[in-house]
Amino acid sequence: MPEHDKSLDILGVKPIAKSVEKVTDATLKGSGAFLSRICLPAAEELGLLLQDKVKVWRADNSAKKIRKAEDRYKQIHVDKDLKAHPLISWRIIENSSWAMHDELQEIWAGLLTSTCTEDGEDDSNMIFINLVAQLTEVQIRVLNYAVTNAEFNIHDYDLITANELVIDIDKLIEITNVKDISRLDRELDYLSSIELIRTADIFSGGGGIILNSEEAKPKVIITPGPLSIQLYVRCQGYIGNPKEYFGL
């Protein structure tokens, strides 16, 4: 290291910083090709955002999500040359960079994939970005289970609703991997407040947990709302009607 550099590196951190920079650059280069493919003309700006604004671990999270999105893109769109809306892409990348766990990264990857269209001007995923950004891992697990286990009804214009879905408290603990019932009640309260699930009425004890002294264990209502069904489908990378996705 040159003498003038050493004088500014009292703690000896410059070699570490340079190593981190190399790791970040390598990570971003691997994601750049896919971003360039779906996000032009905004790919360069998105790359600069990642390099200039995101810390190493956020860049790594974003790169993982982009690789997952590329895998889904290839599975769903095969040889199609589709594009993503620049603003939607930026919002997804920015939000997903905070997601450390696979479940949330899969959700963001699916949203990025379902943003891709022939003209690249579809902004309909904006409402789903705002929803996912508010959700915890526990809530994601509840919604995934609710949608994949619900029985659906088809209405006019191909609109879909779900029949009431009731599970017991032990099943809820198994789904979420959380044993704190107070926390689970809060999580369900929130999902109910933004109408992603239909839960117990206000006279049953609040939230989705039904308190009934005649039963040994409380029951839980986690019926997915129509918006949850749409959200789930988009997060699987599919932009079409849920009826088609579920083969109804």
Side-chain angles (χ1 to χ4, degrees), residues 34 38 65-78 82-84 88-89 92 105-117 125 233-239:
F34 182 58
I38 68 169
K65 181 266 303 170
I66 292 168
R67 287 194 293 270
K68 291 177 184 293
E70 184 173 15
D71 291 339
R72 291 198 182 199
Y73 181 97
K74 291 176 179 177
Q75 292 173 1
I76 295 174
H77 300 307
V78 192
L82 306 181
K83 300 291 183 290
I88 303 299
S89 304
I92 291 175
Q105 288 176 359
E106 291 286 353
I107 293 297
W108 287 116
L111 273 183
L112 181 58
T113 303
S114 63
T115 296
C116 297
T117 58
N125 270 355
V233 170
R234 289 298 179 94
C235 288
Q236 303 308 305
Y238 189 78
I239 197 172

Side-chain angles (χ1 to χ4, degrees), residues 10-46:
I10 298 173
L11 299 179
V13 298
K14 280 192 176 181
I16 299 175
K18 290 184 178 297
S19 296
V20 168
E21 183 180 350
K22 288 181 179 179
V23 171
T24 303
D25 288 344
T27 300
L28 294 172
K29 285 179 181 178
S31 307
F34 182 58
L35 284 179
S36 297
R37 179 179 177 186
I38 68 169
C39 297
L40 287 175
E44 181 178 353
E45 295 170 2
L46 287 168

Side-chain angles (χ1 to χ4, degrees), residues 107-159:
I107 293 297
W108 287 116
L111 273 183
L112 181 58
T113 303
S114 63
T115 296
C116 297
T117 58
E118 290 186 2
D119 60 13
E121 296 182 1
D122 189 288
D123 64 353
S124 60
N125 270 355
M126 183 66 77
I127 60 173
F128 301 114
I129 292 171
N130 293 334
L131 280 174
V132 173
Q134 302 175 63
L135 298 179
T136 65
E137 282 186 83
V138 170
Q139 293 163 1
I140 290 292
R141 291 169 189 163
V142 170
L143 290 176
N144 283 343
Y145 180 88
V147 174
T148 55
N149 287 272
E151 294 182 355
F152 299 126
N153 298 305
I154 304 295
H155 303 276
D156 293 341
Y157 306 104
D158 291 338
L159 296 177

